[in-house]
Amino acid sequence: MTGEQVFVSHAPGDLELVQDLFSTVKNFPIGVHIALEEVESGRSRKRLEGRLANSDVVVAVLTERSANSTWINQETGYALAKGIPVLPLYADPSLRGGFIGEVEGVAIDRENLSFTIFNLLCRLRSELAPLGALSVPNWYIRFPCTIPGCDHPVTLELEQGQTKLWKLHKHGHLLSTPCDVCDATYYFDPATIGFVRREDGGHDGR
């Protein structure tokens, strides 16, 4: 699982919500292209079309704001015409329609975004690394150690399936991974793979 591309189609008013939902997804070695971020960075709509055409999956974020969005309709239609899977991420099931009306998606729970992110990761793991029902797609995140003067690459391997990760989350357990050079240990939420804390030399870090 490296180098896969995810395109996120959304209404401009939902940018903050989209950024919250995809903040930890961006830590994986995949390309996450959020439509409005791409446009605001100065890229042309033509280049955005290239991002869309080269995506492995398109996530359509469907909320009340996006119900009448011309861009979402065009982007999902383009993806479907190109044979690119479209994953609906919806605030209400009634917002799905047309060719994605029957596509299994992910419900947005604004009161529990951790659960939404967990389900989003479930679907992305399934779409991007479909290795079979009994296999566990190996995902990981890699980042430089934040201990001053270290900067050694640290890797958190995700060998557990999503069901196991959710059980760990429900029981208050964290995932951990050490830096092989210094004595720092990093802890993450199993549901969202969000960073929780760092410990070094017996002291909590930031």
Side-chain angles (χ1 to χ4, degrees):
M1 191 280 298
T2 56
E4 287 86 352
Q5 303 296 310
V6 176
F7 185 92
V8 186
S9 180
H10 64 94
D14 287 328
L15 179 59
E16 185 175 346
L17 170 65
V18 170
Q19 290 173 327
D20 287 341
L21 291 171
F22 283 85
S23 61
T24 59
V25 180
K26 285 186 170 184
N27 294 330
F28 292 95
I30 60 178
V32 177
H33 306 288
I34 296 174
L36 192 57
E37 286 184 347
E38 297 281 325
V39 173
E40 289 184 341
S41 68
R43 295 185 174 91
S44 67
R45 281 286 177 183
K46 190 66 178 176
R47 186 167 179 182
L48 193 66
E49 182 181 326
R51 296 285 197 196
L52 179 57
N54 292 315
S55 294
D56 295 287
V57 62
V58 170
V59 178
V61 182
L62 307 176
T63 68
E64 294 78 8
R65 289 191 177 102
S66 66
N68 298 311
S69 170
T70 301
W71 284 113
I72 291 180
N73 290 336
Q74 291 184 358
E75 288 162 356
T76 55
Y78 181 95
L80 291 169
K82 293 288 186 179
I84 302 169
V86 175
L87 170 62
L89 185 58
Y90 54 86
D92 188 281
S94 65
L95 295 170
R96 292 181 296 172
F99 288 111
I100 61 172
E102 300 301 320
V103 177
E104 181 186 357
V106 174
I108 298 173
D109 184 348
R110 295 178 186 269
E111 302 301 317
N112 189 356
L113 284 186
S114 292
F115 187 58
T116 304
I117 294 169
F118 168 79
N119 285 327
L120 175 61
L121 287 171
C122 283
R123 289 304 311 279
L124 288 176
R125 289 183 81 171
S126 175
E127 290 288 348
L128 297 177
L131 302 182
L134 299 179
S135 300
V136 179
N138 180 242
W139 279 37
Y140 66 90
I141 59 173
R142 183 169 293 140
F143 54 93
C145 180
T146 57
I147 295 291
C150 184
D151 293 329
H152 183 74
V154 179
T155 302
L156 173 68
E157 297 278 357
L158 286 185
E159 299 177 347
Q160 305 94 334
Q162 292 297 119
T163 302
K164 175 65 173 178
L165 290 174
W166 185 250
K167 287 180 179 178
L168 290 172
H169 169 80
K170 291 291 286 184
H171 288 90
H173 299 302
L174 299 176
L175 301 177
S176 66
T177 189
C179 174
D180 294 332
V181 172
C182 65
D183 59 353
T185 302
Y186 295 82
Y187 295 87
F188 298 84
D189 181 342
T192 64
I193 318 302
F195 174 73
V196 175
R197 69 175 187 272
R198 185 194 78 202
E199 293 182 356
D200 50 286
H203 301 285
D204 286 347
R206 294 184 178 179

